[in-house]
Amino acid sequence: MKNYFFILVLIVINVFYSNNYSNNDGLNCFTVVVGKNVSEDGSVLVAHNEDDWGKQIVNLYKVPSLNHAQNEKVTFFNGGKLNQFEKTNGFIWIELPGMKVADSFVNEKGVVVTSNGCPSREENPDSTDGGILYWLRRLVAERANSSKEAVKIAGNLINKYGYVSSGRTYTFADRNEAWIFSAVYGKHWIAQRVPDNEVVVIPNYYTIGEIDLLDTLNFLGSEDIIDHAIKNNWYNPEDRKDFNFAKAYTALTSIKHPGNIDRIWRGISLLSEKSYPIDQDLPFSFKPYKKLNVQDLKNVLRDHYELCELDKSGMYKNGNPHETNNATICSGSSQYSFVIQLREKIPVEVGTLIWFTYYRPGVNIYTPIYLGTESIPNEFAFDDYNAAIMTHFDPEESTFVESNNHVYWDCVNAVRKVDENFSMNFPIITNENKFIENNLIKENKLFDQEIIKDFNKNPKNTIKKITDYSNKNLKLIRKRAQEISNQD
């Protein structure tokens, strides 16, 4: 009878894995954060693939700093309310209508907000007024002046309202430092600073390990984070092992899933100076094999395990790696992708540079957007930013209908074209894209020199220049996607 029960449990676990963590599970978000002392140009770098399945569209907005009425309230999805600030930050907003945990922001102070789903093992969450979810990221973008302040804002919101999703890891970064913030279902959280001389890779499980809340330069979090784990039998101090947040709080279905393990190991392997066995504990952060640049991170975000033992496609000979491999870094569910340079000692409007693309980054090109741009081309969104936030949680069905009016669908069609014969088309497209992006990088370096020099003399004219330049580059995404779709 015991053996039968054991076999039944294994079957249930396998069914759960296959139903919830297949290649089409949408749990493939992936983030890399580079400390400023190990990037080529001394900037903090944040790279992210956003992965989600189901009906999707991605809108891009530039939202200005806004003044709000004295009695204005923010209303959370479950009904809770919070007083709005009198004045909120402007930001670049990457929106997935209808999604509660998929949007990313870069605010006017140069604070980045993005996230990865990381299920926790908490089953009895505490919440107040329905808790908080989507508005945590939006409020951080609207209010934070630095990444550490972002941690404190998010932590206070969770302390007050409780987090109403199984768990999530947020990346908060600015041009001085970056923090990894892990929210647990309910009223618990922990955050760790990314060392300036190291790199962090985040899949879809918590990666913060040993913690020291007395070291407030590097850690912040719930005061009872260890006691709560002891109370729930997730950690036993009598085992004489140091407390490890990830091991205590992560859902086993996430931390042990091969799709997660493969991706974090692969990301570390591509960037680390040291080799780590895939079947052993992987570090929260590590030293890279060289000083990293934007192109290095683009290469990681585009990876399908090429020339690696994890590649079942045999360098595409056995089929499309999105179908043959376990969850890859560039995945079949990638909706948008970016690499952000957060450069110190340069005015934030021109010092913050977002290399952005739609859909699978392996097929579509990244182009640079300056944070100070005043507008985004109309074909990157359906509505204006005011209408978008009003309809965000309940978009009309027409929002997701394919249209020639939105660049997103050009990028989807480019991917479809490549997938018709991946082994033949993908290498050709990759080489062509490399040539286009290399030219963009060279052009951007020259443009950078010009506008950085001009900004202090004539900021208004410089803002116009970077707006025109950013919009011109964004339109290249559509042009290139259409070229791919029309190739014989």
PDB file of all heavy atoms in Angstrom, residues 345-371:
ATOM      1  N   LYS A 345      27.185  59.520 -14.151  1.00  0.00           N
ATOM      2  CA  LYS A 345      27.906  60.751 -14.494  1.00  0.00           C
ATOM      3  C   LYS A 345      27.503  61.335 -15.836  1.00  0.00           C
ATOM      4  O   LYS A 345      28.231  62.134 -16.428  1.00  0.00           O
ATOM      5  CB  LYS A 345      29.422  60.513 -14.452  1.00  0.00           C
ATOM      6  CG  LYS A 345      29.910  60.070 -13.084  1.00  0.00           C
ATOM      7  CD  LYS A 345      31.384  59.738 -13.084  1.00  0.00           C
ATOM      8  CE  LYS A 345      31.806  59.220 -11.709  1.00  0.00           C
ATOM      9  NZ  LYS A 345      33.207  58.777 -11.685  1.00  0.00           N
ATOM     10  N   ILE A 346      26.367  60.896 -16.358  1.00  0.00           N
ATOM     11  CA  ILE A 346      25.797  61.456 -17.583  1.00  0.00           C
ATOM     12  C   ILE A 346      24.357  61.818 -17.233  1.00  0.00           C
ATOM     13  O   ILE A 346      23.693  61.058 -16.523  1.00  0.00           O
ATOM     14  CB  ILE A 346      25.802  60.421 -18.740  1.00  0.00           C
ATOM     15  CG1 ILE A 346      27.224  59.938 -19.030  1.00  0.00           C
ATOM     16  CG2 ILE A 346      25.190  61.005 -20.005  1.00  0.00           C
ATOM     17  CD1 ILE A 346      27.282  58.777 -20.011  1.00  0.00           C
ATOM     18  N   PRO A 347      23.833  62.971 -17.665  1.00  0.00           N
ATOM     19  CA  PRO A 347      22.428  63.287 -17.363  1.00  0.00           C
ATOM     20  C   PRO A 347      21.524  62.103 -17.684  1.00  0.00           C
ATOM     21  O   PRO A 347      21.656  61.458 -18.723  1.00  0.00           O
ATOM     22  CB  PRO A 347      22.149  64.489 -18.272  1.00  0.00           C
ATOM     23  CG  PRO A 347      23.473  65.142 -18.448  1.00  0.00           C
ATOM     24  CD  PRO A 347      24.476  64.008 -18.482  1.00  0.00           C
ATOM     25  N   VAL A 348      20.598  61.810 -16.763  1.00  0.00           N
ATOM     26  CA  VAL A 348      19.822  60.577 -16.841  1.00  0.00           C
ATOM     27  C   VAL A 348      19.025  60.467 -18.135  1.00  0.00           C
ATOM     28  O   VAL A 348      18.809  59.363 -18.662  1.00  0.00           O
ATOM     29  CB  VAL A 348      18.893  60.450 -15.607  1.00  0.00           C
ATOM     30  CG1 VAL A 348      17.795  61.501 -15.632  1.00  0.00           C
ATOM     31  CG2 VAL A 348      18.327  59.050 -15.482  1.00  0.00           C
ATOM     32  N   GLU A 349      18.595  61.614 -18.697  1.00  0.00           N
ATOM     33  CA  GLU A 349      17.805  61.592 -19.928  1.00  0.00           C
ATOM     34  C   GLU A 349      18.565  60.960 -21.088  1.00  0.00           C
ATOM     35  O   GLU A 349      17.979  60.305 -21.950  1.00  0.00           O
ATOM     36  CB  GLU A 349      17.383  63.006 -20.318  1.00  0.00           C
ATOM     37  CG  GLU A 349      16.454  63.690 -19.335  1.00  0.00           C
ATOM     38  CD  GLU A 349      17.196  64.448 -18.253  1.00  0.00           C
ATOM     39  OE1 GLU A 349      18.411  64.196 -18.040  1.00  0.00           O
ATOM     40  OE2 GLU A 349      16.570  65.312 -17.618  1.00  0.00           O
ATOM     41  N   VAL A 350      19.887  61.164 -21.119  1.00  0.00           N
ATOM     42  CA  VAL A 350      20.710  60.595 -22.191  1.00  0.00           C
ATOM     43  C   VAL A 350      21.592  59.457 -21.690  1.00  0.00           C
ATOM     44  O   VAL A 350      22.098  58.650 -22.479  1.00  0.00           O
ATOM     45  CB  VAL A 350      21.584  61.677 -22.880  1.00  0.00           C
ATOM     46  CG1 VAL A 350      20.702  62.691 -23.571  1.00  0.00           C
ATOM     47  CG2 VAL A 350      22.504  62.376 -21.898  1.00  0.00           C
ATOM     48  N   GLY A 351      21.751  59.370 -20.367  1.00  0.00           N
ATOM     49  CA  GLY A 351      22.602  58.323 -19.801  1.00  0.00           C
ATOM     50  C   GLY A 351      21.905  56.986 -19.661  1.00  0.00           C
ATOM     51  O   GLY A 351      22.552  55.957 -19.494  1.00  0.00           O
ATOM     52  N   THR A 352      20.571  56.998 -19.740  1.00  0.00           N
ATOM     53  CA  THR A 352      19.799  55.748 -19.650  1.00  0.00           C
ATOM     54  C   THR A 352      19.352  55.350 -21.041  1.00  0.00           C
ATOM     55  O   THR A 352      18.585  56.060 -21.688  1.00  0.00           O
ATOM     56  CB  THR A 352      18.576  55.926 -18.735  1.00  0.00           C
ATOM     57  OG1 THR A 352      19.025  56.354 -17.442  1.00  0.00           O
ATOM     58  CG2 THR A 352      17.800  54.626 -18.599  1.00  0.00           C
ATOM     59  N   LEU A 353      19.848  54.222 -21.505  1.00  0.00           N
ATOM     60  CA  LEU A 353      19.617  53.775 -22.882  1.00  0.00           C
ATOM     61  C   LEU A 353      18.991  52.389 -22.856  1.00  0.00           C
ATOM     62  O   LEU A 353      19.528  51.465 -22.241  1.00  0.00           O
ATOM     63  CB  LEU A 353      20.951  53.751 -23.640  1.00  0.00           C
ATOM     64  CG  LEU A 353      20.914  53.652 -25.155  1.00  0.00           C
ATOM     65  CD1 LEU A 353      20.110  54.786 -25.774  1.00  0.00           C
ATOM     66  CD2 LEU A 353      22.329  53.663 -25.717  1.00  0.00           C
ATOM     67  N   ILE A 354      17.831  52.261 -23.509  1.00  0.00           N
ATOM     68  CA  ILE A 354      17.068  51.010 -23.508  1.00  0.00           C
ATOM     69  C   ILE A 354      17.161  50.377 -24.892  1.00  0.00           C
ATOM     70  O   ILE A 354      16.660  50.928 -25.869  1.00  0.00           O
ATOM     71  CB  ILE A 354      15.592  51.271 -23.166  1.00  0.00           C
ATOM     72  CG1 ILE A 354      15.478  52.030 -21.838  1.00  0.00           C
ATOM     73  CG2 ILE A 354      14.792  49.970 -23.130  1.00  0.00           C
ATOM     74  CD1 ILE A 354      14.169  52.760 -21.670  1.00  0.00           C
ATOM     75  N   TRP A 355      17.809  49.226 -24.983  1.00  0.00           N
ATOM     76  CA  TRP A 355      17.850  48.453 -26.242  1.00  0.00           C
ATOM     77  C   TRP A 355      16.667  47.499 -26.199  1.00  0.00           C
ATOM     78  O   TRP A 355      16.639  46.556 -25.408  1.00  0.00           O
ATOM     79  CB  TRP A 355      19.175  47.717 -26.366  1.00  0.00           C
ATOM     80  CG  TRP A 355      20.346  48.648 -26.487  1.00  0.00           C
ATOM     81  CD1 TRP A 355      21.001  49.286 -25.469  1.00  0.00           C
ATOM     82  CD2 TRP A 355      20.978  49.063 -27.697  1.00  0.00           C
ATOM     83  NE1 TRP A 355      22.012  50.070 -25.978  1.00  0.00           N
ATOM     84  CE2 TRP A 355      22.026  49.954 -27.331  1.00  0.00           C
ATOM     85  CE3 TRP A 355      20.775  48.768 -29.043  1.00  0.00           C
ATOM     86  CZ2 TRP A 355      22.863  50.552 -28.279  1.00  0.00           C
ATOM     87  CZ3 TRP A 355      21.602  49.354 -29.991  1.00  0.00           C
ATOM     88  CH2 TRP A 355      22.632  50.235 -29.604  1.00  0.00           C
ATOM     89  N   PHE A 356      15.696  47.716 -27.079  1.00  0.00           N
ATOM     90  CA  PHE A 356      14.397  47.065 -26.970  1.00  0.00           C
ATOM     91  C   PHE A 356      14.045  46.303 -28.237  1.00  0.00           C
ATOM     92  O   PHE A 356      14.386  46.720 -29.347  1.00  0.00           O
ATOM     93  CB  PHE A 356      13.324  48.134 -26.713  1.00  0.00           C
ATOM     94  CG  PHE A 356      11.909  47.612 -26.710  1.00  0.00           C
ATOM     95  CD1 PHE A 356      11.371  47.024 -25.571  1.00  0.00           C
ATOM     96  CD2 PHE A 356      11.111  47.707 -27.844  1.00  0.00           C
ATOM     97  CE1 PHE A 356      10.065  46.542 -25.567  1.00  0.00           C
ATOM     98  CE2 PHE A 356       9.806  47.229 -27.855  1.00  0.00           C
ATOM     99  CZ  PHE A 356       9.287  46.642 -26.705  1.00  0.00           C
ATOM    100  N   THR A 357      13.332  45.174 -28.057  1.00  0.00           N
ATOM    101  CA  THR A 357      12.731  44.509 -29.203  1.00  0.00           C
ATOM    102  C   THR A 357      11.451  43.788 -28.787  1.00  0.00           C
ATOM    103  O   THR A 357      11.228  43.526 -27.606  1.00  0.00           O
ATOM    104  CB  THR A 357      13.691  43.515 -29.879  1.00  0.00           C
ATOM    105  OG1 THR A 357      13.151  43.141 -31.156  1.00  0.00           O
ATOM    106  CG2 THR A 357      13.906  42.254 -29.049  1.00  0.00           C
ATOM    107  N   TYR A 358      10.631  43.489 -29.774  1.00  0.00           N
ATOM    108  CA  TYR A 358       9.390  42.742 -29.568  1.00  0.00           C
ATOM    109  C   TYR A 358       9.594  41.255 -29.825  1.00  0.00           C
ATOM    110  O   TYR A 358      10.429  40.846 -30.638  1.00  0.00           O
ATOM    111  CB  TYR A 358       8.322  43.216 -30.549  1.00  0.00           C
ATOM    112  CG  TYR A 358       7.491  44.384 -30.097  1.00  0.00           C
ATOM    113  CD1 TYR A 358       7.187  45.412 -30.985  1.00  0.00           C
ATOM    114  CD2 TYR A 358       6.977  44.473 -28.809  1.00  0.00           C
ATOM    115  CE1 TYR A 358       6.396  46.486 -30.612  1.00  0.00           C
ATOM    116  CE2 TYR A 358       6.184  45.536 -28.422  1.00  0.00           C
ATOM    117  CZ  TYR A 358       5.904  46.544 -29.323  1.00  0.00           C
ATOM    118  OH  TYR A 358       5.127  47.607 -28.938  1.00  0.00           O
ATOM    119  N   TYR A 359       8.762  40.480 -29.177  1.00  0.00           N
ATOM    120  CA  TYR A 359       8.610  39.051 -29.413  1.00  0.00           C
ATOM    121  C   TYR A 359       9.947  38.335 -29.247  1.00  0.00           C
ATOM    122  O   TYR A 359      10.758  38.739 -28.418  1.00  0.00           O
ATOM    123  CB  TYR A 359       7.951  38.820 -30.769  1.00  0.00           C
ATOM    124  CG  TYR A 359       7.022  37.623 -30.784  1.00  0.00           C
ATOM    125  CD1 TYR A 359       5.984  37.526 -29.871  1.00  0.00           C
ATOM    126  CD2 TYR A 359       7.180  36.593 -31.693  1.00  0.00           C
ATOM    127  CE1 TYR A 359       5.128  36.434 -29.860  1.00  0.00           C
ATOM    128  CE2 TYR A 359       6.322  35.489 -31.697  1.00  0.00           C
ATOM    129  CZ  TYR A 359       5.311  35.417 -30.775  1.00  0.00           C
ATOM    130  OH  TYR A 359       4.462  34.327 -30.762  1.00  0.00           O
ATOM    131  N   ARG A 360      10.210  37.283 -29.997  1.00  0.00           N
ATOM    132  CA  ARG A 360      11.450  36.533 -29.773  1.00  0.00           C
ATOM    133  C   ARG A 360      12.676  37.360 -30.164  1.00  0.00           C
ATOM    134  O   ARG A 360      12.822  37.761 -31.315  1.00  0.00           O
ATOM    135  CB  ARG A 360      11.444  35.257 -30.597  1.00  0.00           C
ATOM    136  CG  ARG A 360      10.612  34.150 -30.019  1.00  0.00           C
ATOM    137  CD  ARG A 360      10.920  32.860 -30.744  1.00  0.00           C
ATOM    138  NE  ARG A 360       9.728  32.026 -30.833  1.00  0.00           N
ATOM    139  CZ  ARG A 360       9.544  31.108 -31.772  1.00  0.00           C
ATOM    140  NH1 ARG A 360      10.459  30.933 -32.719  1.00  0.00           N
ATOM    141  NH2 ARG A 360       8.444  30.392 -31.783  1.00  0.00           N
ATOM    142  N   PRO A 361      13.609  37.575 -29.211  1.00  0.00           N
ATOM    143  CA  PRO A 361      14.803  38.359 -29.544  1.00  0.00           C
ATOM    144  C   PRO A 361      15.755  37.635 -30.480  1.00  0.00           C
ATOM    145  O   PRO A 361      16.602  38.275 -31.105  1.00  0.00           O
ATOM    146  CB  PRO A 361      15.454  38.597 -28.176  1.00  0.00           C
ATOM    147  CG  PRO A 361      14.955  37.479 -27.317  1.00  0.00           C
ATOM    148  CD  PRO A 361      13.560  37.197 -27.794  1.00  0.00           C
ATOM    149  N   GLY A 362      15.604  36.306 -30.595  1.00  0.00           N
ATOM    150  CA  GLY A 362      16.454  35.577 -31.532  1.00  0.00           C
ATOM    151  C   GLY A 362      16.198  35.944 -32.972  1.00  0.00           C
ATOM    152  O   GLY A 362      17.060  35.761 -33.832  1.00  0.00           O
ATOM    153  N   VAL A 363      15.012  36.464 -33.264  1.00  0.00           N
ATOM    154  CA  VAL A 363      14.632  36.791 -34.639  1.00  0.00           C
ATOM    155  C   VAL A 363      14.614  38.302 -34.890  1.00  0.00           C
ATOM    156  O   VAL A 363      15.041  38.771 -35.939  1.00  0.00           O
ATOM    157  CB  VAL A 363      13.254  36.186 -34.974  1.00  0.00           C
ATOM    158  CG1 VAL A 363      12.733  36.695 -36.323  1.00  0.00           C
ATOM    159  CG2 VAL A 363      13.338  34.664 -34.981  1.00  0.00           C
ATOM    160  N   ASN A 364      14.119  39.064 -33.934  1.00  0.00           N
ATOM    161  CA  ASN A 364      13.924  40.499 -34.142  1.00  0.00           C
ATOM    162  C   ASN A 364      15.092  41.316 -33.589  1.00  0.00           C
ATOM    163  O   ASN A 364      15.806  40.864 -32.695  1.00  0.00           O
ATOM    164  CB  ASN A 364      12.606  40.935 -33.508  1.00  0.00           C
ATOM    165  CG  ASN A 364      11.414  40.309 -34.211  1.00  0.00           C
ATOM    166  OD1 ASN A 364      11.183  40.541 -35.391  1.00  0.00           O
ATOM    167  ND2 ASN A 364      10.655  39.475 -33.494  1.00  0.00           N
ATOM    168  N   ILE A 365      15.279  42.524 -34.127  1.00  0.00           N
ATOM    169  CA  ILE A 365      16.453  43.323 -33.766  1.00  0.00           C
ATOM    170  C   ILE A 365      16.168  44.242 -32.580  1.00  0.00           C
ATOM    171  O   ILE A 365      15.054  44.708 -32.376  1.00  0.00           O
ATOM    172  CB  ILE A 365      16.975  44.165 -34.961  1.00  0.00           C
ATOM    173  CG1 ILE A 365      15.921  45.185 -35.423  1.00  0.00           C
ATOM    174  CG2 ILE A 365      17.432  43.260 -36.091  1.00  0.00           C
ATOM    175  CD1 ILE A 365      16.459  46.222 -36.403  1.00  0.00           C
ATOM    176  N   TYR A 366      17.221  44.493 -31.793  1.00  0.00           N
ATOM    177  CA  TYR A 366      17.170  45.472 -30.718  1.00  0.00           C
ATOM    178  C   TYR A 366      17.563  46.839 -31.265  1.00  0.00           C
ATOM    179  O   TYR A 366      18.553  46.960 -32.003  1.00  0.00           O
ATOM    180  CB  TYR A 366      18.169  45.128 -29.614  1.00  0.00           C
ATOM    181  CG  TYR A 366      17.883  43.900 -28.803  1.00  0.00           C
ATOM    182  CD1 TYR A 366      18.358  42.645 -29.199  1.00  0.00           C
ATOM    183  CD2 TYR A 366      17.181  43.978 -27.604  1.00  0.00           C
ATOM    184  CE1 TYR A 366      18.145  41.515 -28.416  1.00  0.00           C
ATOM    185  CE2 TYR A 366      16.958  42.856 -26.814  1.00  0.00           C
ATOM    186  CZ  TYR A 366      17.443  41.635 -27.228  1.00  0.00           C
ATOM    187  OH  TYR A 366      17.221  40.518 -26.457  1.00  0.00           O
ATOM    188  N   THR A 367      16.813  47.863 -30.887  1.00  0.00           N
ATOM    189  CA  THR A 367      17.199  49.222 -31.256  1.00  0.00           C
ATOM    190  C   THR A 367      17.187  50.111 -30.013  1.00  0.00           C
ATOM    191  O   THR A 367      16.447  49.855 -29.054  1.00  0.00           O
ATOM    192  CB  THR A 367      16.252  49.823 -32.323  1.00  0.00           C
ATOM    193  OG1 THR A 367      14.941  49.967 -31.772  1.00  0.00           O
ATOM    194  CG2 THR A 367      16.199  48.957 -33.564  1.00  0.00           C
ATOM    195  N   PRO A 368      18.007  51.186 -29.994  1.00  0.00           N
ATOM    196  CA  PRO A 368      18.147  51.999 -28.779  1.00  0.00           C
ATOM    197  C   PRO A 368      17.087  53.089 -28.634  1.00  0.00           C
ATOM    198  O   PRO A 368      16.737  53.777 -29.588  1.00  0.00           O
ATOM    199  CB  PRO A 368      19.534  52.623 -28.961  1.00  0.00           C
ATOM    200  CG  PRO A 368      19.730  52.711 -30.438  1.00  0.00           C
ATOM    201  CD  PRO A 368      18.995  51.541 -31.033  1.00  0.00           C
ATOM    202  N   ILE A 369      16.572  53.223 -27.398  1.00  0.00           N
ATOM    203  CA  ILE A 369      15.643  54.291 -27.033  1.00  0.00           C
ATOM    204  C   ILE A 369      16.260  55.052 -25.862  1.00  0.00           C
ATOM    205  O   ILE A 369      16.628  54.436 -24.849  1.00  0.00           O
ATOM    206  CB  ILE A 369      14.280  53.735 -26.558  1.00  0.00           C
ATOM    207  CG1 ILE A 369      13.752  52.647 -27.496  1.00  0.00           C
ATOM    208  CG2 ILE A 369      13.264  54.849 -26.383  1.00  0.00           C
ATOM    209  CD1 ILE A 369      12.608  51.846 -26.893  1.00  0.00           C
ATOM    210  N   TYR A 370      16.365  56.351 -25.977  1.00  0.00           N
ATOM    211  CA  TYR A 370      16.839  57.164 -24.851  1.00  0.00           C
ATOM    212  C   TYR A 370      15.694  57.444 -23.888  1.00  0.00           C
ATOM    213  O   TYR A 370      14.571  57.723 -24.312  1.00  0.00           O
ATOM    214  CB  TYR A 370      17.429  58.483 -25.357  1.00  0.00           C
ATOM    215  CG  TYR A 370      18.813  58.327 -25.947  1.00  0.00           C
ATOM    216  CD1 TYR A 370      18.984  58.072 -27.306  1.00  0.00           C
ATOM    217  CD2 TYR A 370      19.948  58.426 -25.146  1.00  0.00           C
ATOM    218  CE1 TYR A 370      20.238  57.923 -27.853  1.00  0.00           C
ATOM    219  CE2 TYR A 370      21.218  58.269 -25.684  1.00  0.00           C
ATOM    220  CZ  TYR A 370      21.359  58.016 -27.037  1.00  0.00           C
ATOM    221  OH  TYR A 370      22.612  57.866 -27.567  1.00  0.00           O
ATOM    222  N   LEU A 371      15.986  57.380 -22.592  1.00  0.00           N
ATOM    223  CA  LEU A 371      14.966  57.616 -21.585  1.00  0.00           C
ATOM    224  C   LEU A 371      14.299  58.981 -21.754  1.00  0.00           C
ATOM    225  O   LEU A 371      13.102  59.138 -21.524  1.00  0.00           O
ATOM    226  CB  LEU A 371      15.576  57.510 -20.179  1.00  0.00           C
ATOM    227  CG  LEU A 371      14.644  57.793 -19.005  1.00  0.00           C
ATOM    228  CD1 LEU A 371      13.464  56.834 -18.991  1.00  0.00           C
ATOM    229  CD2 LEU A 371      15.407  57.726 -17.685  1.00  0.00           C
TER     230      LEU A 371
END
